[in-house]
Amino acid sequence: MSGRAAPPRVLTVAGSDSGGGAGVQADLKTMLALGVHGMSVLTAVTAQNSLGVQGAWELPVEAVRAQYRSVVDDIGVQAVKTGMLSSAELVEAVSDLIAGTDAPVVVDPVGVSKHGDPLLASSALDSVRTRLLPVATVATPNLDEVAQLTDVRVESERDLRRAAEAVLAFGPRWVVIKGGHLSGDAVDLLTDGSEEHWLRAPRHDNRHTHGTGCTLASAIASELAKGRSVPEAVRAAKDYVTGAIASGFALGAGIGPVHHGWKPNPPG
């Protein structure tokens, strides 16, 4: 007797957050909430809680490569999402793996944690620019990551277009410049250099926003795996993250996570 058909499959290549709010843990929760099957390639282990990152240990490149091949060669993927890739060696290995995979790729160029802890070696920045961004279907940098990668400083909404142009110059097909660190409404700019989509949402007065970047990138990948276009996927992901932020909850003594299970699991 055969089982039911598998849902779309999405692979996250990212680090572990022991506190469960970001990283692979947030990615898999997001994928479950959006009705896809999440799979993971662990790139690093962090000791992390609501107060910050107390330690990080990178996995060997051969372990990352073996996990990726194990999943992709047997199960297959409809989308890939990348997160914490802390060294140039890891960035380059993952870029090569992704380039050989026929699926859309969402690159979250993780540079610092919510608490300001560095998660990317400065020596890896050039590899992100020259190897990882060129294979991205969608790149999702926040304003700090834009500054790291391009030296463009975004002070107001009108700077978002300049930031997008600077990131697109490295080769991703689309970029989402996340303006969540600006004042006023939470405004993101999605563009491929020719068409623009300005995504606005009310800013929720909730400090518990740990994991927003991981969650958005994973939500975009999940929607792409379902066959949505990039603008449709990003809009749906923005709606999901906005609800998750509104429902974020206190955890520990610091910044709590967004609530990945804020909406009922879709049928299917």
Side-chain angles (χ1 to χ4, degrees):
M1 183 176 176
S2 61
R4 62 183 294 177
R9 287 143 286 165
V10 183
L11 178 63
T12 171
V13 184
S16 167
D17 171 4
S18 55
V24 162
Q25 287 83 349
D27 297 341
L28 295 176
K29 291 174 189 177
T30 299
M31 293 168 191
L32 179 63
L34 296 179
V36 302
H37 176 68
M39 305 169 292
S40 61
V41 170
L42 212 59
T43 62
V45 175
T46 68
Q48 188 172 168
N49 55 26
S50 70
L51 298 172
V53 179
Q54 292 80 45
W57 299 267
E58 184 181 304
L59 267 68
V61 167
E62 57 266 31
V64 172
R65 190 179 288 115
Q67 291 175 81
Y68 191 99
R69 291 263 61 94
S70 178
V71 170
V72 173
D73 293 348
D74 173 45
I75 300 171
V77 293
Q78 275 74 57
V80 179
K81 176 259 177 185
T82 70
M84 180 184 175
L85 303 172
S86 52
S87 69
E89 189 182 19
L90 263 182
V91 170
E92 290 165 13
V94 170
S95 300
D96 288 345
L97 290 165
I98 287 169
T101 303
D102 185 19
V105 178
V106 180
V107 169
D108 184 17
V110 176
V112 294
S113 76
K114 177 68 67 178
H115 305 85
D117 303 293
L119 298 175
L120 179 71
S122 58
S123 59
L125 282 171
D126 196 51
S127 295
V128 172
R129 296 183 190 106
T130 62
R131 299 286 292 276
L132 187 60
L133 289 175
V135 297
T137 308
V138 187
T140 64
N142 63 28
L143 302 187
D144 290 334
E145 290 153 0
V146 167
Q148 268 190 318
L149 292 165
T150 70
D151 291 329
V152 172
R153 307 283 169 178
V154 176
E155 306 292 344
S156 66
E157 193 176 306
R158 65 177 173 270
D159 296 328
L160 293 176
R161 185 178 286 121
R162 187 163 54 94
E165 290 170 354
V167 176
L168 284 171
F170 294 120
R173 282 178 46 207
W174 293 82
V175 63
V176 182
I177 304 295
K178 299 180 293 192
H181 293 174
L182 298 174
S183 58
D185 286 348
V187 180
D188 303 328
L189 171 59
L190 167 68
T191 180
D192 64 353
S194 58
E195 61 179 276
E196 289 183 349
H197 302 267
W198 292 85
L199 307 174
R200 297 179 182 274
R203 184 175 300 279
H204 294 285
D205 184 20
N206 185 354
R207 67 188 289 262
H208 302 301
T209 56
H210 184 48
T212 47
C214 306
T215 299
L216 179 71
S218 294
I220 295 171
S222 297
E223 298 298 341
L224 290 174
K226 298 175 187 177
R228 291 191 185 225
S229 68
V230 169
E232 290 171 338
V234 173
R235 195 169 296 279
K238 170 87 167 177
D239 290 344
Y240 170 72
V241 170
T242 299
I245 291 171
S247 303
F249 53 90
L251 200 69
I255 299 172
V258 301
H259 185 17
H260 296 96
W262 70 272
K263 62 189 294 186
N265 200 21

